[in-house]
Amino acid sequence: MNGEWLDPLIATLGLALITVVTRAFFMIPERELPMPDWLRRGLKYAPLAALTAVIAPELFMTQGALMHTLQDARLPALAAACGYYFWRRGILGTIVVGMAVYLPLRIGLGW
């Protein structure tokens, strides 16, 4: 036993502890934490901003660089999904329509 297992164990336990503390931070106090009104309004948009930060690079970049061609199955799928969302305002339908456009272009035409 040379102790190589100790570093990953300490890292895993430390990350678990940090996760528990940060997620439970808002549940620990017995009363509501005082927050400025602007912060409370801004926190409503945090999940949308995080989702956009994850999805946008996947839509417009290929292998770490911006797309150089418009012949990419993601663009028509994005347009169809956005069109459906603005028409019906349904998340599940948006995903289904986007994938219904993406998969035939990607698998069928090889875009």
XYZ file of all heavy atoms in Angstrom:
865
model
N 0.833 -1.181 0.000
C 0.000 0.000 0.000
C 0.877 1.244 0.000
O 1.580 1.505 0.959
C -0.869 0.033 1.249
C -1.974 -0.942 1.248
S -3.376 -0.065 0.627
C -4.654 -1.187 0.933
N 0.806 1.981 -1.092
C 1.640 3.170 -1.180
C 0.839 4.465 -0.974
O 1.390 5.541 -1.055
C 2.390 3.193 -2.506
C 1.444 3.190 -3.691
O 0.237 3.201 -3.514
N 2.005 3.161 -4.880
N -0.445 4.367 -0.758
C -1.233 5.554 -0.455
C -1.736 6.318 -1.653
O -2.191 7.450 -1.506
N -1.684 5.744 -2.850
C -2.199 6.437 -4.045
C -3.701 6.645 -3.972
O -4.236 7.531 -4.627
C -1.850 5.643 -5.300
C -0.398 5.699 -5.673
C -0.124 4.936 -6.958
O -1.081 4.589 -7.672
O 1.048 4.694 -7.241
N -4.388 5.848 -3.206
C -5.831 5.943 -3.086
C -6.259 7.092 -2.183
O -7.412 7.510 -2.201
C -6.392 4.635 -2.544
C -5.773 4.267 -1.225
C -4.632 3.558 -1.028
C -6.237 4.652 0.066
N -4.343 3.451 0.311
C -5.325 4.121 1.013
C -7.317 5.371 0.526
C -5.469 4.295 2.388
C -7.464 5.549 1.898
C -6.558 5.016 2.803
N -5.339 7.634 -1.405
C -5.686 8.653 -0.422
C -6.080 9.988 -1.071
O -7.065 10.611 -0.659
C -4.515 8.853 0.546
C -4.813 9.694 1.780
C -5.941 9.071 2.585
C -3.567 9.815 2.631
N -5.351 10.433 -2.068
C -5.663 11.712 -2.707
C -7.051 11.717 -3.359
O -7.832 12.660 -3.141
C -4.588 12.073 -3.734
C -3.302 12.538 -3.074
O -3.354 12.909 -1.887
O -2.249 12.537 -3.755
N -7.409 10.701 -4.169
C -8.772 10.702 -4.730
C -9.854 10.624 -3.657
O -10.909 11.244 -3.796
C -8.806 9.460 -5.621
C -7.388 9.159 -5.922
C -6.595 9.630 -4.755
N -9.594 9.906 -2.587
C -10.568 9.809 -1.506
C -10.780 11.161 -0.826
O -11.914 11.587 -0.598
C -10.118 8.777 -0.474
C -11.048 8.596 0.719
C -12.379 8.018 0.275
C -10.393 7.742 1.779
N -9.685 11.864 -0.529
C -9.788 13.186 0.100
C -10.501 14.168 -0.836
O -11.357 14.947 -0.407
C -8.398 13.706 0.505
C -7.842 12.867 1.653
C -8.452 15.172 0.902
C -6.396 13.158 1.988
N -10.169 14.115 -2.113
C -10.812 15.006 -3.086
C -12.307 14.718 -3.177
O -13.136 15.644 -3.203
C -10.153 14.856 -4.454
N -12.681 13.452 -3.235
C -14.094 13.086 -3.327
C -14.860 13.517 -2.084
O -15.956 14.085 -2.181
C -14.243 11.562 -3.532
O -13.527 11.185 -4.704
C -15.688 11.156 -3.656
N -14.309 13.262 -0.911
C -14.976 13.671 0.324
C -15.071 15.193 0.440
O -16.091 15.733 0.873
C -14.245 13.091 1.530
C -14.335 11.572 1.692
C -13.472 11.109 2.866
C -15.771 11.126 1.862
N -14.016 15.888 0.032
C -14.040 17.349 0.060
C -15.090 17.918 -0.887
O -15.838 18.831 -0.522
N -15.170 17.385 -2.097
C -16.175 17.856 -3.047
C -17.585 17.547 -2.561
O -18.501 18.354 -2.739
C -15.933 17.232 -4.419
C -14.714 17.769 -5.167
C -14.422 16.933 -6.396
C -14.919 19.223 -5.546
N -17.773 16.371 -1.957
C -19.085 16.027 -1.410
C -19.475 16.994 -0.296
O -20.624 17.461 -0.231
C -19.077 14.591 -0.904
N -18.547 17.309 0.573
C -18.819 18.238 1.663
C -19.176 19.629 1.140
O -20.138 20.251 1.592
C -17.613 18.316 2.605
C -17.759 19.270 3.789
C -18.817 18.748 4.760
C -16.433 19.442 4.486
N -18.404 20.102 0.182
C -18.680 21.423 -0.404
C -20.052 21.442 -1.061
O -20.816 22.403 -0.939
C -17.571 21.804 -1.398
C -16.285 22.109 -0.638
C -17.990 22.987 -2.255
C -15.069 22.261 -1.521
N -20.404 20.373 -1.771
C -21.703 20.294 -2.426
C -22.835 20.323 -1.416
O -23.824 21.043 -1.585
C -21.789 19.014 -3.284
O -20.744 19.045 -4.254
C -23.125 18.907 -3.974
N -22.719 19.549 -0.359
C -23.768 19.509 0.663
C -23.913 20.877 1.333
O -25.032 21.370 1.526
C -23.466 18.410 1.702
C -24.360 18.547 2.930
C -23.630 17.044 1.088
N -22.816 21.498 1.679
C -22.881 22.795 2.366
C -23.485 23.866 1.457
O -24.357 24.628 1.882
C -21.481 23.214 2.868
C -21.481 24.666 3.317
C -21.041 22.306 3.996
N -23.056 23.930 0.194
C -23.572 24.983 -0.684
C -25.035 24.760 -1.051
O -25.786 25.708 -1.202
C -22.731 25.095 -1.966
O -22.714 23.830 -2.634
C -21.332 25.550 -1.656
N -25.459 23.513 -1.189
C -26.865 23.255 -1.515
C -27.766 23.433 -0.300
O -28.935 23.779 -0.436
C -27.038 21.872 -2.116
C -26.401 21.776 -3.474
C -26.838 20.547 -4.187
N -26.222 20.506 -5.493
C -26.818 20.825 -6.608
N -28.063 21.228 -6.585
N -26.194 20.741 -7.759
N -27.253 23.172 0.873
C -28.064 23.299 2.082
C -28.001 24.707 2.662
O -28.713 25.008 3.615
C -27.583 22.295 3.126
N -27.182 25.575 2.090
C -26.976 26.915 2.633
C -28.287 27.679 2.793
O -28.503 28.372 3.790
C -26.018 27.692 1.732
C -25.760 29.086 2.196
C -25.000 29.326 3.324
C -26.298 30.164 1.522
C -24.763 30.624 3.759
C -26.065 31.457 1.946
C -25.296 31.686 3.064
N -29.199 27.524 1.810
C -30.453 28.278 1.879
C -31.486 27.590 2.763
O -32.514 28.161 3.088
C -31.025 28.489 0.477
C -30.199 29.426 -0.350
C -29.378 28.958 -1.352
C -30.235 30.776 -0.100
C -28.608 29.830 -2.104
C -29.471 31.661 -0.838
C -28.655 31.186 -1.837
N -31.232 26.343 3.172
C -32.187 25.625 4.013
C -31.807 25.665 5.493
O -32.611 25.312 6.343
C -32.285 24.167 3.550
C -32.912 24.031 2.193
S -33.065 22.314 1.771
C -31.937 22.236 0.396
N -30.591 26.049 5.799
C -30.123 26.043 7.189
C -30.810 27.114 8.040
O -31.279 26.810 9.128
C -28.581 26.191 7.230
C -27.932 24.933 6.660
C -28.111 26.431 8.653
C -26.433 25.056 6.460
N -30.912 28.371 7.592
C -31.531 29.391 8.450
C -33.026 29.115 8.665
O -33.700 28.574 7.799
C -31.351 30.701 7.684
C -30.433 30.411 6.580
C -30.412 28.949 6.362
N -33.529 29.507 9.836
C -34.937 29.314 10.137
C -35.803 30.397 9.513
O -36.985 30.193 9.292
C -35.143 29.283 11.651
C -34.523 28.058 12.297
C -34.768 28.025 13.784
O -35.572 28.836 14.292
O -34.147 27.187 14.440
N -35.223 31.524 9.234
C -35.992 32.592 8.592
C -35.392 32.874 7.216
O -34.272 32.475 6.915
C -35.990 33.860 9.440
C -34.614 34.414 9.698
C -34.696 35.653 10.585
N -33.385 36.138 10.900
C -32.629 36.897 10.086
N -33.086 37.270 8.913
N -31.432 37.291 10.459
N -36.148 33.542 6.391
C -35.706 33.850 5.035
C -34.523 34.822 5.068
O -34.496 35.765 5.868
C -36.860 34.467 4.248
C -36.580 34.609 2.788
C -37.797 35.055 2.018
O -38.910 34.688 2.413
O -37.619 35.769 1.023
N -33.547 34.567 4.217
C -32.382 35.445 4.162
C -32.755 36.770 3.514
O -33.424 36.792 2.490
C -31.273 34.781 3.345
C -30.685 33.513 3.924
C -29.724 32.878 2.927
C -29.945 33.830 5.208
N -32.326 37.876 4.105
C -32.616 39.165 3.477
C -31.779 39.325 2.201
O -30.570 39.091 2.205
C -32.221 40.194 4.539
C -31.275 39.472 5.441
C -31.620 38.022 5.367
N -32.450 39.667 1.126
C -31.794 39.869 -0.167
C -32.319 41.141 -0.797
O -33.515 41.427 -0.686
C -32.145 38.716 -1.114
C -31.158 37.626 -1.191
S -31.652 36.489 -2.475
C -31.969 35.071 -1.492
N -31.457 41.868 -1.460
C -31.971 43.033 -2.184
C -32.936 42.583 -3.289
O -32.830 41.468 -3.805
C -30.722 43.671 -2.801
C -29.562 43.015 -2.143
C -30.020 41.741 -1.558
N -33.842 43.444 -3.620
C -34.854 43.110 -4.625
C -34.223 42.798 -5.981
O -34.667 41.895 -6.683
C -35.842 44.266 -4.752
C -37.240 43.776 -4.998
O -37.520 42.623 -4.626
O -38.036 44.559 -5.556
N -33.159 43.529 -6.346
C -32.519 43.301 -7.644
C -31.880 41.912 -7.703
O -31.871 41.271 -8.742
C -31.480 44.389 -7.944
C -30.371 44.468 -6.937
C -30.331 45.243 -5.817
C -29.156 43.713 -6.935
N -29.159 45.029 -5.121
C -28.410 44.094 -5.785
C -28.607 42.766 -7.785
C -27.179 43.560 -5.473
C -27.367 42.230 -7.483
C -26.668 42.622 -6.346
N -31.347 41.432 -6.580
C -30.746 40.103 -6.545
C -31.813 39.024 -6.643
O -31.645 38.026 -7.347
C -29.926 39.928 -5.268
C -29.245 38.578 -5.082
C -28.256 38.311 -6.219
C -28.525 38.526 -3.749
N -32.912 39.214 -5.965
C -34.020 38.256 -6.022
C -34.557 38.139 -7.453
O -34.826 37.046 -7.934
C -35.126 38.686 -5.062
C -36.207 37.662 -4.878
C -37.241 38.126 -3.856
N -36.669 38.528 -2.585
C -36.354 37.693 -1.607
N -36.530 36.412 -1.763
N -35.847 38.143 -0.484
N -34.698 39.278 -8.150
C -35.150 39.247 -9.556
C -34.110 38.583 -10.438
O -34.434 37.819 -11.340
C -35.429 40.664 -10.046
C -36.715 41.242 -9.548
C -37.081 42.518 -10.298
N -35.955 43.426 -10.496
C -35.658 44.452 -9.705
N -36.409 44.708 -8.658
N -34.630 45.220 -9.954
N -32.839 38.852 -10.179
C -31.774 38.277 -10.993
C -31.647 36.775 -10.835
O -31.327 36.064 -11.792
N -31.909 36.263 -9.633
C -31.811 34.827 -9.389
C -32.880 34.039 -10.137
O -32.713 32.843 -10.383
C -31.880 34.535 -7.894
C -30.624 34.876 -7.108
C -30.841 34.654 -5.621
C -29.436 34.066 -7.596
N -33.971 34.697 -10.515
C -34.988 34.009 -11.310
C -34.444 33.620 -12.677
O -34.892 32.648 -13.273
C -36.216 34.903 -11.473
C -37.011 35.040 -10.213
C -38.267 35.882 -10.314
C -38.651 36.444 -11.615
N -39.813 37.313 -11.584
N -33.472 34.359 -13.198
C -32.939 34.105 -14.525
C -31.668 33.256 -14.522
O -31.152 32.926 -15.577
C -32.664 35.428 -15.242
C -33.910 36.250 -15.415
C -34.156 37.357 -14.611
C -34.866 35.893 -16.350
C -35.308 38.097 -14.763
C -36.021 36.627 -16.508
C -36.232 37.727 -15.711
O -37.386 38.451 -15.854
N -31.177 32.892 -13.365
C -29.935 32.115 -13.276
C -30.028 30.758 -13.964
O -29.113 30.380 -14.704
C -29.511 31.971 -11.820
N -31.100 29.978 -13.788
C -31.155 28.691 -14.494
C -31.168 28.849 -16.011
O -30.509 28.093 -16.722
C -32.464 28.063 -14.000
C -32.741 28.726 -12.704
C -32.197 30.122 -12.841
N -31.885 29.843 -16.511
C -31.915 30.085 -17.952
C -30.537 30.486 -18.470
O -30.093 30.022 -19.523
C -32.940 31.162 -18.285
C -33.052 31.546 -19.755
C -33.478 30.338 -20.588
C -34.021 32.682 -19.924
N -29.840 31.318 -17.739
C -28.500 31.732 -18.141
C -27.529 30.551 -18.140
O -26.712 30.409 -19.054
C -27.991 32.835 -17.215
N -27.630 29.686 -17.134
C -26.753 28.517 -17.085
C -27.045 27.562 -18.238
O -26.126 27.035 -18.876
C -26.922 27.803 -15.745
N -28.315 27.342 -18.528
C -28.687 26.468 -19.639
C -28.205 27.037 -20.972
O -27.682 26.309 -21.820
C -30.201 26.275 -19.659
C -30.749 25.290 -20.669
C -30.198 23.900 -20.391
C -32.262 25.271 -20.619
N -28.334 28.324 -21.152
C -27.854 28.969 -22.372
C -26.344 28.840 -22.501
O -25.826 28.577 -23.590
C -28.262 30.456 -22.382
O -29.675 30.536 -22.278
C -27.809 31.139 -23.643
N -25.633 28.989 -21.408
C -24.176 28.871 -21.442
C -23.719 27.468 -21.809
O -22.654 27.285 -22.399
C -23.590 29.264 -20.088
N -24.526 26.473 -21.500
C -24.170 25.097 -21.839
C -24.564 24.764 -23.278
O -23.814 24.113 -24.011
C -24.854 24.112 -20.853
C -24.719 22.685 -21.313
C -24.265 24.284 -19.468
N -25.736 25.216 -23.718
C -26.268 24.823 -25.025
C -25.694 25.650 -26.170
O -25.424 25.108 -27.248
C -27.807 24.918 -25.009
C -28.356 23.835 -24.092
C -28.381 24.749 -26.399
C -29.836 23.888 -23.899
N -25.498 26.935 -25.995
C -25.060 27.799 -27.096
C -23.752 27.348 -27.749
O -23.677 27.276 -28.978
C -24.966 29.251 -26.632
N -22.724 27.023 -26.995
C -21.502 26.547 -27.674
C -21.728 25.254 -28.453
O -21.140 25.060 -29.514
C -20.521 26.313 -26.520
C -21.008 27.152 -25.416
C -22.492 27.197 -25.563
N -22.600 24.400 -27.952
C -22.873 23.143 -28.657
C -23.600 23.396 -29.973
O -23.422 22.660 -30.938
C -23.706 22.227 -27.760
C -23.971 20.873 -28.337
C -22.711 20.063 -28.585
O -21.755 20.185 -27.804
O -22.692 19.298 -29.558
N -24.387 24.449 -30.025
C -25.141 24.740 -31.243
C -24.298 25.441 -32.306
O -24.493 25.209 -33.496
C -26.359 25.612 -30.915
C -27.490 24.921 -30.180
C -28.537 25.931 -29.772
C -28.101 23.831 -31.031
N -23.402 26.296 -31.897
C -22.710 27.145 -32.865
C -21.226 26.837 -33.036
O -20.554 27.509 -33.815
C -22.874 28.617 -32.466
C -24.304 29.044 -32.431
C -24.934 29.353 -31.237
C -25.044 29.117 -33.597
C -26.255 29.741 -31.203
C -26.375 29.503 -33.578
C -26.983 29.819 -32.369
N -20.710 25.839 -32.332
C -19.287 25.522 -32.439
C -19.077 24.062 -32.802
O -19.882 23.204 -32.456
C -18.579 25.827 -31.122
C -18.616 27.285 -30.736
S -17.780 27.614 -29.194
C -16.099 27.632 -29.749
N -17.994 23.804 -33.527
C -17.601 22.448 -33.864
C -16.126 22.295 -33.537
O -15.294 23.042 -34.049
C -17.829 22.163 -35.364
O -19.217 22.373 -35.650
C -17.458 20.751 -35.723
N -15.787 21.369 -32.678
C -14.416 21.101 -32.264
C -13.697 22.359 -31.771
O -12.554 22.635 -32.109
C -13.635 20.435 -33.387
C -14.210 19.087 -33.776
C -13.473 18.450 -34.919
O -12.578 19.052 -35.507
N -13.841 17.229 -35.246
N -14.414 23.171 -31.003
C -13.817 24.339 -30.385
C -13.738 25.581 -31.244
O -13.193 26.589 -30.821
N -14.268 25.541 -32.454
C -14.254 26.708 -33.343
C -15.662 26.942 -33.876
O -16.470 26.021 -33.961
C -13.287 26.483 -34.499
N -15.941 28.187 -34.241
C -17.252 28.489 -34.813
C -17.454 27.716 -36.110
O -16.501 27.448 -36.844
C -17.383 29.986 -35.085
C -17.585 30.869 -33.864
C -17.578 32.330 -34.272
C -18.863 30.534 -33.143
N -18.703 27.363 -36.399
C -19.008 26.623 -37.628
C -18.651 27.465 -38.848
O -18.879 28.675 -38.863
C -20.505 26.287 -37.677
C -20.910 25.208 -36.751
S -22.591 24.655 -37.013
C -23.532 26.081 -36.545
N -18.110 26.808 -39.854
C -17.742 27.509 -41.083
C -18.748 27.288 -42.198
O -18.617 27.870 -43.264
C -16.363 27.052 -41.554
C -15.274 27.403 -40.587
N -14.922 28.700 -40.308
C -14.481 26.640 -39.811
C -13.947 28.724 -39.420
N -13.662 27.469 -39.095
N -19.728 26.422 -41.979
C -20.695 26.112 -43.014
C -22.101 26.184 -42.444
O -22.309 25.971 -41.249
C -20.442 24.703 -43.595
O -21.429 24.440 -44.593
C -20.509 23.631 -42.522
N -23.048 26.497 -43.301
C -24.440 26.510 -42.877
C -25.081 25.147 -43.076
O -26.217 24.938 -42.686
C -25.217 27.571 -43.650
C -24.814 29.012 -43.350
C -25.599 29.972 -44.210
C -24.997 29.331 -41.884
N -24.359 24.217 -43.689
C -24.884 22.871 -43.903
C -24.596 22.023 -42.661
O -23.772 21.125 -42.666
C -24.261 22.238 -45.142
C -24.936 20.949 -45.536
C -24.378 20.393 -46.816
O -23.452 20.955 -47.395
N -24.940 19.300 -47.260
N -25.290 22.337 -41.616
C -25.165 21.632 -40.347
C -26.571 21.351 -39.851
O -27.419 22.244 -39.842
C -24.405 22.488 -39.338
C -23.971 21.693 -38.130
O -24.802 20.931 -37.605
O -22.814 21.826 -37.718
N -26.825 20.139 -39.456
C -28.175 19.728 -39.062
C -28.679 20.479 -37.834
O -29.882 20.576 -37.607
C -28.203 18.228 -38.799
N -27.786 21.036 -37.038
C -28.204 21.722 -35.815
C -28.947 23.024 -36.105
O -29.842 23.403 -35.354
C -26.993 22.000 -34.934
C -26.358 20.725 -34.413
C -25.101 21.003 -33.648
N -24.046 21.390 -34.588
C -22.805 21.631 -34.237
N -22.450 21.547 -32.976
N -21.902 21.954 -35.126
N -28.587 23.709 -37.191
C -29.212 24.999 -37.470
C -30.685 24.880 -37.877
O -31.534 25.592 -37.322
C -28.399 25.752 -38.512
C -26.974 26.114 -38.061
C -26.216 26.800 -39.179
C -27.017 26.971 -36.817
N -31.050 23.996 -38.841
C -32.488 23.838 -39.122
C -33.266 23.286 -37.928
O -34.414 23.667 -37.702
C -32.534 22.856 -40.293
C -31.180 22.846 -40.869
C -30.232 23.261 -39.793
N -32.638 22.407 -37.154
C -33.308 21.881 -35.966
C -33.549 22.989 -34.947
O -34.613 23.046 -34.319
C -32.480 20.758 -35.358
N -32.575 23.862 -34.783
C -32.724 24.999 -33.879
C -33.857 25.910 -34.344
O -34.694 26.335 -33.541
C -31.417 25.790 -33.805
C -31.451 27.101 -33.029
C -31.725 26.833 -31.561
C -30.144 27.842 -33.201
N -33.909 26.201 -35.648
C -34.962 27.066 -36.189
C -36.343 26.440 -35.989
O -37.292 27.120 -35.584
C -34.703 27.341 -37.670
N -36.466 25.137 -36.256
C -37.752 24.460 -36.091
C -38.162 24.425 -34.622
O -39.328 24.658 -34.285
C -37.674 23.048 -36.655
N -37.221 24.130 -33.740
C -37.534 24.067 -32.309
C -37.944 25.444 -31.783
O -38.906 25.555 -31.018
C -36.334 23.533 -31.539
N -37.235 26.479 -32.185
C -37.598 27.836 -31.750
C -38.971 28.226 -32.287
O -39.784 28.824 -31.568
C -36.551 28.845 -32.208
S -35.016 28.755 -31.277
N -39.227 27.894 -33.554
C -40.541 28.178 -34.132
C -41.653 27.491 -33.376
O -42.688 28.097 -33.070
N -41.452 26.228 -33.051
C -42.472 25.501 -32.284
C -42.648 26.115 -30.899
O -43.773 26.280 -30.428
C -42.104 24.019 -32.149
C -43.133 23.255 -31.360
C -44.251 22.727 -31.987
C -43.016 23.107 -29.981
C -45.226 22.053 -31.254
C -43.977 22.430 -29.252
C -45.078 21.908 -29.888
O -46.037 21.253 -29.163
N -41.565 26.449 -30.244
C -41.678 27.003 -28.900
C -42.458 28.321 -28.905
O -43.322 28.548 -28.061
C -40.314 27.221 -28.252
C -40.448 27.791 -26.870
C -40.799 26.973 -25.809
C -40.275 29.148 -26.630
C -40.972 27.485 -24.535
C -40.435 29.668 -25.361
C -40.786 28.836 -24.322
O -40.964 29.358 -23.067
N -42.168 29.190 -29.859
C -42.878 30.469 -29.897
C -44.334 30.299 -30.311
O -45.178 31.128 -29.986
C -42.155 31.462 -30.805
C -40.882 31.960 -30.209
C -39.676 31.758 -30.843
C -40.871 32.617 -28.989
C -38.487 32.207 -30.294
C -39.689 33.070 -28.417
C -38.503 32.866 -29.078
N -44.643 29.188 -31.022
C -46.015 28.926 -31.430
C -46.829 28.313 -30.290
O -47.943 28.739 -30.012
C -46.007 28.016 -32.658
C -47.354 27.587 -33.131
C -48.448 28.376 -33.391
C -47.765 26.247 -33.409
N -49.488 27.613 -33.811
C -49.104 26.294 -33.834
C -47.121 25.018 -33.351
C -49.810 25.171 -34.193
C -47.828 23.898 -33.726
C -49.148 23.979 -34.136
N -46.277 27.296 -29.604
C -47.029 26.535 -28.618
C -46.569 26.716 -27.172
O -47.288 26.336 -26.258
C -46.971 25.045 -28.954
C -47.517 24.686 -30.312
C -48.974 24.795 -30.353
N -49.500 23.761 -29.475
C -50.755 23.448 -29.377
N -51.635 24.085 -30.092
N -51.153 22.499 -28.565
N -45.355 27.175 -26.927
C -44.800 27.375 -25.584
C -44.697 26.076 -24.780
O -44.891 26.070 -23.568
C -45.615 28.376 -24.790
C -45.681 29.737 -25.371
C -44.457 30.504 -25.036
N -44.621 31.885 -25.496
C -43.633 32.657 -25.817
N -42.408 32.224 -25.709
N -43.841 33.865 -26.232
N -44.390 24.971 -25.450
C -44.253 23.698 -24.754
C -42.833 23.175 -24.866
O -42.278 23.090 -25.956
N -42.238 22.799 -23.745
C -40.855 22.338 -23.728
C -40.719 20.964 -24.381
O -39.823 20.745 -25.198
C -40.320 22.307 -22.281
C -40.308 23.696 -21.676
C -38.928 21.694 -22.226
C -39.391 24.668 -22.366
N -41.596 20.031 -24.028
C -41.503 18.685 -24.591
C -41.670 18.713 -26.106
O -40.906 18.073 -26.836
C -42.541 17.754 -23.950
C -42.532 16.309 -24.456
C -41.166 15.669 -24.186
C -43.644 15.510 -23.822
N -42.642 19.450 -26.589
C -42.842 19.569 -28.029
C -41.654 20.211 -28.722
O -41.291 19.830 -29.844
N -41.040 21.163 -28.067
C -39.856 21.814 -28.619
C -38.734 20.805 -28.816
O -38.077 20.774 -29.870
C -39.389 22.945 -27.686
O -40.447 23.875 -27.527
C -38.166 23.646 -28.231
N -38.519 19.956 -27.828
C -37.474 18.934 -27.925
C -37.809 17.940 -29.026
O -36.950 17.575 -29.835
C -37.299 18.235 -26.567
C -36.764 19.221 -25.540
C -36.374 17.029 -26.689
C -36.800 18.715 -24.114
N -39.066 17.504 -29.078
C -39.481 16.519 -30.087
C -39.328 17.084 -31.493
O -38.792 16.421 -32.394
C -40.928 16.048 -29.814
C -41.468 15.229 -30.975
C -40.985 15.255 -28.529
N -39.782 18.304 -31.717
C -39.675 18.918 -33.046
C -38.213 19.120 -33.434
O -37.817 18.813 -34.559
C -40.450 20.257 -33.090
C -40.104 21.058 -34.337
C -41.936 19.991 -33.036
N -37.398 19.596 -32.507
C -35.980 19.782 -32.801
C -35.300 18.477 -33.189
O -34.552 18.405 -34.163
N -35.576 17.430 -32.444
C -34.974 16.129 -32.755
C -35.559 15.525 -34.019
O -34.856 14.833 -34.764
C -35.158 15.168 -31.573
C -34.348 15.559 -30.358
S -32.587 15.812 -30.692
C -32.055 14.168 -31.043
N -36.844 15.770 -34.295
C -37.468 15.255 -35.518
C -36.848 15.890 -36.763
O -36.811 15.276 -37.822
C -38.974 15.504 -35.480
N -36.357 17.099 -36.644
C -35.668 17.743 -37.767
C -34.199 17.345 -37.786
O -33.629 17.056 -38.843
C -35.825 19.283 -37.687
C -34.963 19.973 -38.720
C -37.288 19.666 -37.855
N -33.583 17.290 -36.627
C -32.146 17.014 -36.536
C -31.777 15.605 -36.993
O -30.847 15.433 -37.784
C -31.685 17.226 -35.091
C -30.241 16.882 -34.852
C -29.230 17.746 -35.258
C -29.874 15.695 -34.229
C -27.909 17.439 -35.042
C -28.553 15.375 -34.005
C -27.572 16.249 -34.417
O -26.256 15.935 -34.214
N -32.477 14.603 -36.478
C -32.079 13.216 -36.751
C -32.127 12.837 -38.231
O -31.166 12.239 -38.728
C -32.902 12.255 -35.903
C -32.537 12.253 -34.418
C -33.474 11.351 -33.637
C -31.102 11.840 -34.223
N -33.186 13.160 -38.984
C -33.149 12.804 -40.421
C -32.024 13.530 -41.175
O -31.398 12.945 -42.061
C -34.519 13.241 -40.941
C -35.386 13.304 -39.755
C -34.505 13.654 -38.593
N -31.770 14.784 -40.816
C -30.682 15.499 -41.495
C -29.339 14.928 -41.128
O -28.459 14.790 -41.978
C -30.737 16.989 -41.128
C -31.920 17.786 -41.688
C -31.892 19.207 -41.138
C -31.882 17.799 -43.203
N -29.154 14.590 -39.888
C -27.864 14.079 -39.415
C -27.622 12.644 -39.870
O -26.558 12.321 -40.414
C -27.815 14.163 -37.886
C -26.563 13.677 -37.268
C -25.449 14.609 -37.510
N -24.255 14.123 -36.838
C -23.135 14.767 -36.814
N -23.046 15.937 -37.402
N -22.111 14.284 -36.212
N -28.608 11.783 -39.660
C -28.435 10.368 -39.996
C -28.724 10.118 -41.480
O -27.967 9.422 -42.149
C -29.345 9.497 -39.101
C -28.892 9.630 -37.647
C -29.298 8.035 -39.547
C -29.851 8.987 -36.664
N -29.821 10.692 -41.986
C -30.217 10.447 -43.367
C -29.334 11.114 -44.404
O -28.893 10.489 -45.363
N -29.054 12.409 -44.213
C -28.274 13.154 -45.198
C -26.797 13.261 -44.810
O -25.986 13.713 -45.613
C -28.849 14.553 -45.379
C -30.277 14.621 -45.934
C -30.742 16.066 -46.026
C -30.364 13.953 -47.302
N -26.459 12.902 -43.600
C -25.058 12.935 -43.171
C -24.511 14.324 -42.918
O -23.314 14.538 -42.980
N -25.387 15.269 -42.603
C -24.924 16.636 -42.329
C -24.134 16.664 -41.071
O -24.344 16.201 -40.069
C -26.103 17.575 -42.217
C -26.652 18.014 -43.536
C -26.430 17.433 -44.742
C -27.535 19.094 -43.764
N -27.124 18.075 -45.707
C -27.821 19.116 -45.141
C -28.128 20.033 -42.958
C -28.654 20.051 -45.720
C -28.962 20.951 -43.523
C -29.225 20.966 -44.893
